[in-house]
Amino acid sequence: MKDNIFLIGFMGAGKSTVAECLHKCCGREILEMDQVIEGREGMEISRIFEIHGEEYFRRLETELLLELQERENLVVSCGGGAPLRSCNVEAMKKSGQVVFLTALPQTVLERVRDSHDRPVIEQNKNVDFIAGLMEKRREKYEAAADVTVATDARTPEDICGEILEKIKKFQN
């Protein structure tokens, strides 16, 4: 088994921030799935959704995850919808551990309130909508996860420490 770490969770759960911390403490290369896809497509995620639709974007995520099976020592910040497809989860598990980062709906709203590059919630930035969407995805996230770590009111360093501790236990 390869040693990649795949960070999954709802938008605003802290995947990018935690990926940066894991990069600094462990020397892992960071791969931000959304950024890679934007670079390859030459447009922002919101524009990909607008022009090609969500299903097209989800196929791009799957293709990228399949490519990553050949890579090692990565920390991958996955898009919020990546674990919704079982083939994506299978690809992640073949090359590493899947870490589910959780956050309360209020925390998510605070973190994404001023962002306009999240097309799934752009017109519905409120706690009720976020909570509903999180609940719809929760079962898939939990099923995909090897370990789960809460991020509310915690430092990235504290979260990284817990992730590394839990992964070590999971591997043994």
Side-chain angles (χ1 to χ4, degrees):
M1 177 180 272
K2 297 189 178 143
D3 65 345
N4 296 322
I5 297 174
F6 294 89
L7 301 175
I8 65 168
F10 201 76
M11 61 192 83
K15 297 180 298 287
S16 295
T17 301
V18 172
E20 182 64 34
C21 185
L22 287 167
H23 164 69
K24 287 178 183 172
C25 82
C26 304
R28 290 176 178 273
E29 181 184 345
I30 297 175
L31 193 141
E32 291 275 350
M33 286 185 61
D34 287 352
Q35 286 181 3
V36 170
I37 291 170
E38 285 178 339
R40 289 178 176 181
E41 294 294 303
M43 63 182 88
E44 294 178 351
I45 301 298
S46 56
R47 190 83 172 127
I48 296 170
F49 268 64
E50 184 182 315
I51 293 173
H52 301 289
E54 184 174 359
E55 183 57 32
Y56 176 83
F57 174 74
R58 298 297 173 208
R59 280 196 309 271
L60 296 175
E61 285 181 319
T62 299
E63 290 168 11
L64 179 54
L65 285 168
L66 290 172
E67 287 175 35
L68 296 181
Q69 289 179 348
E70 304 305 315
R71 306 270 307 272
E72 295 181 353
N73 203 35
L74 295 174
V75 58
V76 181
S77 177
C78 298
L84 302 180
R85 290 179 134 189
S86 58
C87 58
N88 290 353
V89 174
E90 191 177 307
M92 288 186 267
K93 288 184 178 280
K94 280 185 180 173
S95 64
Q97 286 75 47
V98 180
V99 177
F100 174 26
L101 299 180
T102 66
L104 296 170
Q106 297 86 341
T107 302
V108 169
L109 181 59
E110 287 171 23
R111 293 175 179 170
V112 304
R113 178 174 280 137
D114 297 326
S115 172
H116 297 288
D117 59 352
R118 301 171 190 275
V120 174
I121 66 161
E122 182 59 33
Q123 303 305 316
N124 296 289
K125 287 185 184 168
N126 61 72
V127 170
D128 289 339
F129 182 82
I130 290 169
L133 189 53
M134 288 173 84
E135 183 56 30
K136 285 180 189 171
R137 293 181 173 188
R138 182 181 53 79
E139 191 175 313
K140 294 273 190 182
Y141 287 157
E142 289 174 351
D146 294 314
V147 298
T148 301
V149 176
T151 65
D152 299 285
R154 296 178 68 191
T155 66
E157 294 76 18
D158 184 38
I159 295 163
C160 288
E162 183 177 344
I163 288 169
L164 295 172
E165 185 180 305
K166 285 185 170 183
I167 285 175
K168 188 175 184 177
K169 286 180 183 174
F170 177 79
Q171 290 175 332
N172 292 333

Coordinates of all heavy atoms in Angstrom, one line a residue, residues 42-128:
G42 N -8.4 25.0 -17.8 CA -8.2 26.4 -18.1 C -9.3 27.3 -17.6 O -9.5 28.3 -18.2
M43 N -10.0 26.9 -16.6 CA -11.1 27.7 -16.1 C -11.4 27.3 -14.6 O -11.0 26.2 -14.2 CB -12.4 27.6 -16.9 CG -13.0 26.2 -17.0 SD -14.4 26.0 -18.1 CE -13.6 25.7 -19.6
E44 N -12.1 28.2 -13.9 CA -12.4 27.9 -12.5 C -13.5 26.8 -12.4 O -14.3 26.6 -13.4 CB -12.9 29.2 -11.9 CG -11.8 30.3 -11.8 CD -12.3 31.6 -11.1 OE1 -13.6 31.7 -11.0 OE2 -11.5 32.4 -10.8
I45 N -13.6 26.2 -11.3 CA -14.6 25.1 -11.0 C -16.0 25.7 -11.3 O -16.8 25.0 -12.0 CB -14.5 24.6 -9.6 CG1 -13.1 24.1 -9.3 CG2 -15.6 23.6 -9.3 CD1 -12.7 22.9 -10.1
S46 N -16.3 26.9 -10.9 CA -17.7 27.4 -11.1 C -18.0 27.5 -12.6 O -19.1 27.2 -13.0 CB -17.8 28.8 -10.4 OG -16.8 29.7 -10.9
R47 N -17.0 27.8 -13.4 CA -17.2 27.9 -14.8 C -17.3 26.5 -15.4 O -18.1 26.3 -16.4 CB -16.0 28.7 -15.4 CG -16.2 29.0 -16.9 CD -16.9 30.3 -17.0 NE -16.9 30.7 -18.4 CZ -18.0 31.0 -19.1 NH1 -19.2 31.0 -18.5 NH2 -17.9 31.3 -20.4
I48 N -16.6 25.6 -14.9 CA -16.7 24.2 -15.4 C -18.1 23.7 -15.2 O -18.7 23.1 -16.1 CB -15.7 23.2 -14.7 CG1 -14.2 23.6 -15.1 CG2 -15.9 21.8 -15.1 CD1 -13.2 22.9 -14.3
F49 N -18.6 24.0 -14.0 CA -20.0 23.6 -13.6 C -21.0 24.3 -14.6 O -21.9 23.6 -15.1 CB -20.4 24.0 -12.2 CG -20.1 22.9 -11.2 CD1 -18.8 22.5 -10.9 CD2 -21.1 22.4 -10.4 CE1 -18.6 21.5 -10.0 CE2 -20.9 21.4 -9.5 CZ -19.6 21.0 -9.2
E50 N -20.8 25.5 -14.8 CA -21.7 26.3 -15.7 C -21.7 25.8 -17.1 O -22.8 25.7 -17.7 CB -21.2 27.8 -15.6 CG -22.1 28.8 -16.3 CD -21.5 30.2 -16.3 OE1 -21.0 30.6 -15.2 OE2 -21.4 30.9 -17.3
I51 N -20.5 25.6 -17.7 CA -20.4 25.2 -19.1 C -20.7 23.7 -19.3 O -21.4 23.3 -20.2 CB -19.0 25.6 -19.6 CG1 -18.9 27.1 -19.7 CG2 -18.8 25.0 -21.0 CD1 -17.5 27.5 -20.0
H52 N -20.1 22.8 -18.5 CA -20.1 21.4 -18.7 C -21.0 20.6 -17.8 O -21.3 19.5 -18.0 CB -18.7 20.8 -18.6 CG -17.8 21.4 -19.6 ND1 -17.8 21.2 -21.0 CD2 -16.7 22.2 -19.4 CE1 -16.9 21.8 -21.6 NE2 -16.2 22.5 -20.7
G53 N -21.4 21.2 -16.6 CA -22.2 20.5 -15.6 C -21.4 19.8 -14.6 O -20.2 19.5 -14.7
E54 N -22.1 19.4 -13.5 CA -21.5 18.7 -12.4 C -21.0 17.4 -12.8 O -19.9 17.0 -12.3 CB -22.4 18.6 -11.2 CG -21.8 18.0 -10.0 CD -22.7 18.1 -8.7 OE1 -23.8 18.6 -8.8 OE2 -22.2 17.5 -7.7
E55 N -21.7 16.6 -13.6 CA -21.3 15.2 -13.9 C -19.9 15.2 -14.6 O -19.1 14.4 -14.4 CB -22.4 14.6 -14.8 CG -22.0 13.1 -15.1 CD -21.8 12.2 -13.9 OE1 -22.4 12.4 -12.9 OE2 -21.0 11.3 -14.1
Y56 N -19.7 16.2 -15.5 CA -18.5 16.3 -16.2 C -17.3 16.5 -15.2 O -16.3 15.9 -15.3 CB -18.5 17.5 -17.2 CG -17.3 17.8 -18.0 CD1 -16.9 17.1 -19.1 CD2 -16.4 18.8 -17.5 CE1 -15.7 17.4 -19.8 CE2 -15.2 19.1 -18.2 CZ -14.9 18.4 -19.3 OH -13.7 18.6 -20.0
F57 N -17.6 17.5 -14.3 CA -16.6 17.8 -13.3 C -16.2 16.5 -12.4 O -15.1 16.2 -12.2 CB -17.0 18.9 -12.4 CG -16.1 19.2 -11.2 CD1 -14.9 19.8 -11.4 CD2 -16.4 18.8 -9.9 CE1 -14.0 20.0 -10.4 CE2 -15.6 19.0 -8.9 CZ -14.4 19.6 -9.1
R58 N -17.3 15.8 -12.1 CA -17.1 14.6 -11.3 C -16.2 13.5 -12.0 O -15.4 12.8 -11.4 CB -18.4 14.0 -10.8 CG -19.3 14.9 -9.9 CD -18.6 15.2 -8.6 NE -19.3 16.2 -7.9 CZ -18.8 17.1 -7.1 NH1 -17.5 17.1 -6.8 NH2 -19.6 18.0 -6.4
R59 N -16.4 13.4 -13.3 CA -15.6 12.5 -14.1 C -14.1 13.0 -14.1 O -13.2 12.1 -14.1 CB -16.1 12.5 -15.6 CG -17.3 11.6 -15.8 CD -17.5 11.2 -17.2 NE -17.6 12.4 -18.1 CZ -18.7 13.0 -18.4 NH1 -19.8 12.7 -17.9 NH2 -18.7 14.1 -19.2
L60 N -13.9 14.3 -14.2 CA -12.5 14.8 -14.1 C -11.9 14.4 -12.7 O -10.7 14.1 -12.7 CB -12.5 16.3 -14.3 CG -12.9 16.8 -15.6 CD1 -13.0 18.4 -15.6 CD2 -12.0 16.3 -16.8
E61 N -12.6 14.5 -11.7 CA -12.1 14.1 -10.4 C -11.7 12.6 -10.4 O -10.6 12.3 -9.9 CB -13.2 14.3 -9.3 CG -13.4 15.7 -8.9 CD -14.5 15.8 -7.8 OE1 -15.5 15.1 -7.8 OE2 -14.3 16.6 -6.8
T62 N -12.6 11.8 -10.9 CA -12.3 10.3 -11.0 C -11.0 10.1 -11.8 O -10.1 9.3 -11.3 CB -13.5 9.6 -11.6 OG1 -14.6 9.8 -10.8 CG2 -13.2 8.1 -11.7
E63 N -10.9 10.7 -12.9 CA -9.7 10.5 -13.8 C -8.4 10.9 -13.0 O -7.4 10.2 -13.0 CB -9.8 11.3 -15.0 CG -10.8 10.8 -16.0 CD -11.1 11.8 -17.1 OE1 -10.4 12.8 -17.3 OE2 -12.1 11.6 -17.9
L64 N -8.5 12.0 -12.3 CA -7.3 12.5 -11.5 C -7.0 11.5 -10.4 O -5.8 11.1 -10.2 CB -7.6 13.9 -10.9 CG -6.5 14.5 -10.1 CD1 -5.1 14.5 -10.8 CD2 -6.9 15.9 -9.6
L65 N -8.0 11.0 -9.6 CA -7.7 10.1 -8.6 C -7.1 8.8 -9.1 O -6.3 8.2 -8.4 CB -9.0 9.8 -7.8 CG -9.4 10.9 -6.9 CD1 -10.9 10.7 -6.4 CD2 -8.5 11.0 -5.7
L66 N -7.5 8.3 -10.3 CA -7.0 7.1 -10.8 C -5.5 7.4 -11.2 O -4.6 6.5 -11.0 CB -7.7 6.7 -12.1 CG -9.1 6.1 -11.8 CD1 -9.9 5.9 -13.1 CD2 -9.1 4.9 -11.0
E67 N -5.1 8.5 -11.7 CA -3.7 8.9 -11.9 C -2.9 8.9 -10.7 O -1.7 8.4 -10.7 CB -3.6 10.3 -12.5 CG -4.1 10.4 -13.9 CD -4.1 11.9 -14.4 OE1 -3.1 12.6 -13.9 OE2 -5.0 12.3 -15.1
L68 N -3.5 9.3 -9.6 CA -2.7 9.4 -8.3 C -2.4 8.1 -7.7 O -1.5 8.0 -6.8 CB -3.5 10.3 -7.3 CG -3.8 11.7 -7.7 CD1 -4.5 12.5 -6.6 CD2 -2.5 12.4 -8.0
Q69 N -3.0 7.0 -8.2 CA -2.6 5.7 -7.7 C -1.2 5.3 -7.9 O -0.6 4.5 -7.2 CB -3.5 4.6 -8.3 CG -4.9 4.7 -7.8 CD -5.8 3.6 -8.5 OE1 -5.4 3.0 -9.4 NE2 -7.0 3.4 -7.9
E70 N -0.6 6.0 -8.9 CA 0.8 5.8 -9.2 C 1.8 6.7 -8.4 O 3.0 6.5 -8.6 CB 1.1 6.0 -10.7 CG 0.2 5.1 -11.6 CD 0.3 3.7 -11.3 OE1 1.4 3.2 -11.1 OE2 -0.8 3.0 -11.2
R71 N 1.3 7.5 -7.6 CA 2.1 8.5 -6.9 C 2.3 8.1 -5.4 O 1.4 7.4 -4.9 CB 1.5 9.9 -7.0 CG 1.2 10.4 -8.4 CD 2.3 11.1 -9.0 NE 2.9 12.2 -8.3 CZ 2.4 13.5 -8.3 NH1 1.4 13.8 -9.1 NH2 3.0 14.4 -7.6
E72 N 3.3 8.6 -4.8 CA 3.5 8.4 -3.3 C 3.9 9.6 -2.6 O 4.2 10.6 -3.2 CB 4.7 7.4 -3.2 CG 4.4 6.0 -3.7 CD 5.6 5.1 -3.6 OE1 6.7 5.5 -3.1 OE2 5.5 3.9 -3.9
N73 N 3.7 9.6 -1.3 CA 4.1 10.7 -0.4 C 3.3 12.0 -0.6 O 3.9 13.1 -0.5 CB 5.6 10.9 -0.4 CG 6.1 11.6 0.9 OD1 5.6 11.3 2.0 ND2 7.1 12.4 0.7
L74 N 2.1 11.8 -1.0 CA 1.2 13.0 -1.3 C 0.3 13.2 -0.1 O -0.1 12.3 0.6 CB 0.4 12.8 -2.5 CG 1.0 12.6 -3.9 CD1 -0.1 12.3 -4.9 CD2 1.7 13.9 -4.3
V75 N -0.1 14.5 0.0 CA -1.3 14.8 0.8 C -2.2 15.5 -0.2 O -1.9 16.4 -0.8 CB -1.0 15.7 2.1 CG1 -0.3 17.0 1.7 CG2 -2.3 15.9 2.8
V76 N -3.4 14.8 -0.4 CA -4.3 15.3 -1.4 C -5.5 15.9 -0.7 O -6.2 15.3 0.1 CB -4.8 14.1 -2.3 CG1 -5.7 14.5 -3.4 CG2 -3.6 13.4 -2.9
S77 N -5.8 17.2 -1.1 CA -7.0 17.9 -0.6 C -8.0 17.6 -1.7 O -8.0 18.2 -2.8 CB -6.7 19.4 -0.5 OG -7.9 20.0 -0.1
C78 N -9.0 16.8 -1.4 CA -10.0 16.4 -2.3 C -11.2 17.4 -2.3 O -11.5 18.0 -1.3 CB -10.6 15.0 -1.9 SG -9.4 13.7 -2.0
G79 N -11.8 17.5 -3.5 CA -13.0 18.3 -3.6 C -14.1 17.7 -2.7 O -14.1 16.5 -2.4
G80 N -15.0 18.5 -2.2 CA -16.0 18.0 -1.3 C -16.9 16.9 -1.8 O -17.4 16.1 -1.0
G81 N -17.1 16.8 -3.1 CA -17.9 15.8 -3.7 C -17.1 14.5 -4.1 O -17.7 13.5 -4.5
A82 N -15.8 14.5 -4.0 CA -15.0 13.4 -4.5 C -15.4 12.1 -3.9 O -15.5 11.1 -4.6 CB -13.5 13.7 -4.3
P83 N -15.7 12.0 -2.6 CA -16.0 10.7 -2.0 C -17.4 10.2 -2.2 O -17.8 9.2 -1.8 CB -15.7 10.9 -0.5 CG -15.7 12.3 -0.3 CD -15.4 13.0 -1.6
L84 N -18.2 11.0 -3.0 CA -19.6 10.6 -3.3 C -19.6 9.4 -4.3 O -20.7 8.8 -4.4 CB -20.4 11.8 -3.7 CG -20.4 13.0 -2.7 CD1 -21.3 14.1 -3.3 CD2 -20.9 12.5 -1.4
R85 N -18.6 9.2 -5.0 CA -18.5 8.2 -6.0 C -17.7 7.0 -5.5 O -16.5 7.2 -5.1 CB -17.9 8.6 -7.3 CG -18.7 9.6 -8.1 CD -17.9 10.0 -9.4 NE -18.8 9.9 -10.5 CZ -18.4 10.1 -11.8 NH1 -17.1 10.2 -12.0 NH2 -19.2 10.0 -12.7
S86 N -18.2 5.8 -5.5 CA -17.5 4.7 -4.9 C -16.2 4.4 -5.6 O -15.2 4.0 -5.0 CB -18.4 3.4 -4.9 OG -18.9 3.1 -6.1
C87 N -16.2 4.6 -6.9 CA -14.9 4.4 -7.7 C -13.8 5.3 -7.2 O -12.7 5.0 -7.2 CB -15.2 4.5 -9.2 SG -15.8 6.1 -9.7
N88 N -14.2 6.5 -6.8 CA -13.2 7.5 -6.2 C -12.7 7.0 -4.9 O -11.5 7.0 -4.7 CB -13.8 8.9 -6.1 CG -14.1 9.6 -7.4 OD1 -13.8 9.1 -8.4 ND2 -14.8 10.7 -7.3
V89 N -13.5 6.5 -4.1 CA -13.1 6.0 -2.8 C -12.2 4.8 -3.0 O -11.1 4.7 -2.3 CB -14.3 5.6 -1.9 CG1 -13.9 4.9 -0.6 CG2 -15.2 6.8 -1.6
E90 N -12.5 3.9 -3.9 CA -11.7 2.8 -4.2 C -10.3 3.2 -4.6 O -9.3 2.6 -4.2 CB -12.4 1.9 -5.3 CG -11.8 0.6 -5.5 CD -12.6 -0.2 -6.6 OE1 -13.8 -0.3 -6.4 OE2 -12.0 -0.6 -7.5
A91 N -10.3 4.2 -5.5 CA -9.0 4.7 -6.0 C -8.1 5.3 -4.8 O -6.9 5.0 -4.8 CB -9.2 5.7 -7.1
M92 N -8.8 6.0 -3.9 CA -8.1 6.6 -2.8 C -7.5 5.5 -1.9 O -6.3 5.6 -1.5 CB -9.0 7.5 -2.0 CG -9.3 8.8 -2.7 SD -10.2 10.0 -1.7 CE -11.9 9.6 -2.1
K93 N -8.3 4.5 -1.6 CA -7.9 3.5 -0.7 C -6.8 2.6 -1.2 O -6.0 2.1 -0.5 CB -9.1 2.7 -0.2 CG -10.0 3.4 0.7 CD -11.1 2.5 1.2 CE -12.0 3.3 2.2 NZ -11.5 3.3 3.5
K94 N -6.7 2.5 -2.6 CA -5.6 1.7 -3.2 C -4.2 2.4 -3.0 O -3.2 1.7 -3.0 CB -5.9 1.6 -4.7 CG -6.9 0.5 -5.0 CD -7.0 0.3 -6.4 CE -8.0 -0.8 -6.7 NZ -8.3 -1.0 -8.1
S95 N -4.2 3.7 -2.8 CA -2.9 4.3 -2.7 C -2.7 5.1 -1.4 O -1.7 5.9 -1.3 CB -2.7 5.3 -3.9 OG -3.6 6.3 -3.9
G96 N -3.5 4.9 -0.4 CA -3.3 5.6 0.9 C -4.5 5.5 1.8 O -5.3 4.7 1.7
Q97 N -4.4 6.4 2.8 CA -5.5 6.5 3.8 C -6.4 7.6 3.6 O -5.9 8.7 3.1 CB -4.9 6.6 5.2 CG -4.3 5.3 5.8 CD -2.9 5.0 5.1 OE1 -2.1 5.8 5.0 NE2 -2.8 3.8 4.7
V98 N -7.6 7.5 3.9 CA -8.6 8.5 3.7 C -9.0 9.1 5.1 O -9.4 8.4 6.0 CB -9.9 7.9 3.0 CG1 -10.9 9.0 2.8 CG2 -9.6 7.3 1.7
V99 N -8.8 10.4 5.2 CA -9.1 11.1 6.4 C -10.3 12.0 6.2 O -10.2 12.9 5.4 CB -7.8 11.9 6.9 CG1 -8.2 12.7 8.2 CG2 -6.6 11.0 7.1
F100 N -11.3 11.8 7.0 CA -12.5 12.6 7.0 C -12.4 13.7 8.0 O -12.4 13.5 9.2 CB -13.7 11.7 7.3 CG -15.1 12.4 7.4 CD1 -15.3 13.6 6.7 CD2 -16.1 11.8 8.1 CE1 -16.6 14.2 6.8 CE2 -17.3 12.4 8.2 CZ -17.6 13.6 7.6
L101 N -12.3 15.0 7.5 CA -12.3 16.2 8.3 C -13.7 16.7 8.5 O -14.4 16.9 7.5 CB -11.4 17.3 7.7 CG -9.9 16.9 7.5 CD1 -9.2 18.1 6.9 CD2 -9.3 16.5 8.8
T102 N -14.1 16.8 9.8 CA -15.5 17.3 10.0 C -15.5 18.7 10.6 O -14.5 19.2 11.1 CB -16.2 16.4 11.1 OG1 -15.6 16.5 12.3 CG2 -16.2 14.9 10.6
A103 N -16.6 19.4 10.4 CA -16.8 20.7 11.0 C -18.3 20.9 11.1 O -19.1 20.4 10.3 CB -16.2 21.8 10.0
L104 N -18.7 21.7 12.0 CA -20.1 22.1 12.2 C -20.6 23.0 11.1 O -19.8 23.7 10.5 CB -20.3 22.7 13.6 CG -20.0 21.9 14.8 CD1 -20.0 22.8 16.1 CD2 -21.0 20.8 14.9
P105 N -21.9 22.9 10.7 CA -22.4 23.8 9.7 C -22.1 25.3 9.9 O -21.7 26.0 9.0 CB -23.9 23.6 9.7 CG -24.0 22.2 10.3 CD -22.9 22.0 11.3
Q106 N -22.1 25.7 11.2 CA -21.8 27.1 11.5 C -20.4 27.5 11.2 O -20.1 28.5 10.7 CB -22.1 27.4 13.0 CG -23.5 27.3 13.4 CD -23.9 25.8 13.8 OE1 -23.3 24.8 13.4 NE2 -25.1 25.7 14.4
T107 N -19.5 26.5 11.5 CA -18.1 26.7 11.2 C -17.8 26.8 9.7 O -17.1 27.7 9.2 CB -17.2 25.5 11.8 OG1 -17.5 25.5 13.2 CG2 -15.8 25.7 11.6
V108 N -18.5 25.9 9.0 CA -18.4 25.9 7.5 C -18.8 27.2 7.0 O -18.1 27.9 6.1 CB -19.2 24.7 6.9 CG1 -19.3 24.9 5.4 CG2 -18.5 23.4 7.2
L109 N -20.0 27.7 7.4 CA -20.5 29.0 6.9 C -19.5 30.1 7.2 O -19.2 31.0 6.3 CB -21.8 29.3 7.5 CG -22.5 30.6 7.1 CD1 -22.7 30.7 5.5 CD2 -23.8 30.9 7.8
E110 N -18.9 30.2 8.4 CA -17.9 31.2 8.8 C -16.7 31.1 7.8 O -16.2 32.2 7.4 CB -17.4 31.0 10.2 CG -18.5 31.4 11.2 CD -18.0 31.0 12.7 OE1 -16.8 30.8 12.9 OE2 -18.9 30.8 13.5
R111 N -16.3 29.9 7.5 CA -15.1 29.8 6.7 C -15.3 30.1 5.2 O -14.4 30.4 4.5 CB -14.5 28.3 6.8 CG -14.0 28.1 8.2 CD -13.6 26.6 8.4 NE -13.0 26.3 9.7 CZ -12.7 25.1 10.1 NH1 -13.0 24.1 9.4 NH2 -12.3 24.9 11.3
V112 N -16.5 29.8 4.7 CA -16.8 30.0 3.2 C -17.6 31.2 2.9 O -17.9 31.5 1.7 CB -17.4 28.7 2.6 CG1 -16.6 27.5 2.9 CG2 -18.9 28.5 3.1
R113 N -18.1 31.9 3.9 CA -19.0 33.1 3.7 C -18.6 34.0 2.6 O -19.4 34.4 1.7 CB -19.2 33.8 5.0 CG -20.1 35.0 4.8 CD -20.4 35.7 6.2 NE -21.4 34.9 6.8 CZ -21.4 34.6 8.1 NH1 -20.5 34.9 8.9 NH2 -22.4 33.9 8.6
D114 N -17.3 34.4 2.6 CA -16.8 35.4 1.6 C -16.2 34.7 0.3 O -15.7 35.5 -0.5 CB -15.7 36.2 2.3 CG -16.3 37.0 3.4 OD1 -17.5 37.4 3.3 OD2 -15.6 37.2 4.4
S115 N -16.3 33.4 0.2 CA -15.8 32.8 -1.0 C -16.9 32.7 -2.1 O -18.0 32.4 -1.8 CB -15.3 31.3 -0.6 OG -15.0 30.6 -1.8
H116 N -16.5 32.9 -3.3 CA -17.4 32.8 -4.4 C -17.0 31.7 -5.4 O -17.5 31.7 -6.6 CB -17.6 34.1 -5.1 CG -18.1 35.2 -4.2 ND1 -19.4 35.2 -3.8 CD2 -17.5 36.2 -3.5 CE1 -19.6 36.2 -2.9 NE2 -18.5 36.8 -2.8
D117 N -16.2 30.8 -5.0 CA -15.7 29.7 -5.9 C -16.3 28.3 -5.5 O -15.6 27.3 -5.7 CB -14.2 29.7 -6.0 CG -13.5 29.5 -4.7 OD1 -14.2 29.5 -3.6 OD2 -12.3 29.3 -4.7
R118 N -17.4 28.3 -4.8 CA -18.1 27.1 -4.4 C -19.5 27.0 -5.0 O -20.5 27.4 -4.3 CB -18.1 27.0 -2.9 CG -16.7 27.1 -2.3 CD -16.6 27.3 -0.8 NE -15.3 27.6 -0.3 CZ -14.4 26.7 0.0 NH1 -14.6 25.4 -0.2 NH2 -13.2 27.1 0.5
P119 N -19.6 26.6 -6.2 CA -20.9 26.6 -6.9 C -22.0 25.8 -6.3 O -23.2 26.2 -6.4 CB -20.5 26.1 -8.3 CG -19.2 25.3 -8.2 CD -18.5 26.0 -7.0
V120 N -21.7 24.8 -5.5 CA -22.8 24.0 -4.9 C -23.6 24.8 -3.9 O -24.7 24.6 -3.7 CB -22.2 22.7 -4.3 CG1 -23.2 21.9 -3.5 CG2 -21.5 21.9 -5.4
I121 N -22.9 25.8 -3.2 CA -23.6 26.6 -2.2 C -23.7 28.1 -2.5 O -24.2 28.8 -1.6 CB -23.0 26.3 -0.8 CG1 -21.6 26.9 -0.7 CG2 -23.1 24.9 -0.4 CD1 -21.2 27.2 0.7
E122 N -23.2 28.5 -3.6 CA -23.2 29.9 -3.9 C -24.5 30.7 -3.6 O -24.5 31.7 -3.1 CB -22.7 30.2 -5.3 CG -22.5 31.6 -5.7 CD -21.5 32.4 -4.8 OE1 -20.5 31.8 -4.3 OE2 -21.8 33.6 -4.6
Q123 N -25.6 30.1 -4.0 CA -26.9 30.8 -3.9 C -27.6 30.4 -2.6 O -28.7 30.8 -2.3 CB -27.8 30.4 -5.0 CG -27.2 30.7 -6.4 CD -26.9 32.2 -6.5 OE1 -27.6 33.1 -6.1 NE2 -25.7 32.5 -7.1
N124 N -26.9 29.6 -1.7 CA -27.5 29.1 -0.5 C -26.6 29.1 0.7 O -26.4 28.1 1.4 CB -28.0 27.7 -0.7 CG -29.1 27.6 -1.7 OD1 -30.2 28.0 -1.5 ND2 -28.8 27.0 -2.9
K125 N -25.9 30.3 0.9 CA -25.0 30.4 2.0 C -25.7 30.6 3.3 O -25.8 31.8 3.8 CB -23.9 31.4 1.7 CG -23.0 31.0 0.7 CD -21.9 32.0 0.5 CE -20.9 31.6 -0.6 NZ -20.1 32.7 -1.0
N126 N -26.2 29.6 3.9 CA -26.9 29.6 5.2 C -26.7 28.3 5.9 O -26.5 27.3 5.3 CB -28.4 30.0 5.1 CG -29.2 29.0 4.3 OD1 -29.4 27.9 4.7 ND2 -29.5 29.4 3.0
V127 N -26.9 28.4 7.2 CA -26.6 27.2 8.1 C -27.5 26.0 7.7 O -27.1 24.9 7.6 CB -26.7 27.5 9.6 CG1 -26.7 26.3 10.4 CG2 -25.5 28.4 10.0
D128 N -28.8 26.3 7.5 CA -29.8 25.3 7.2 C -29.5 24.5 5.9 O -29.5 23.3 5.9 CB -31.2 25.8 7.1 CG -31.8 26.2 8.5 OD1 -31.2 25.8 9.5 OD2 -32.7 27.1 8.5

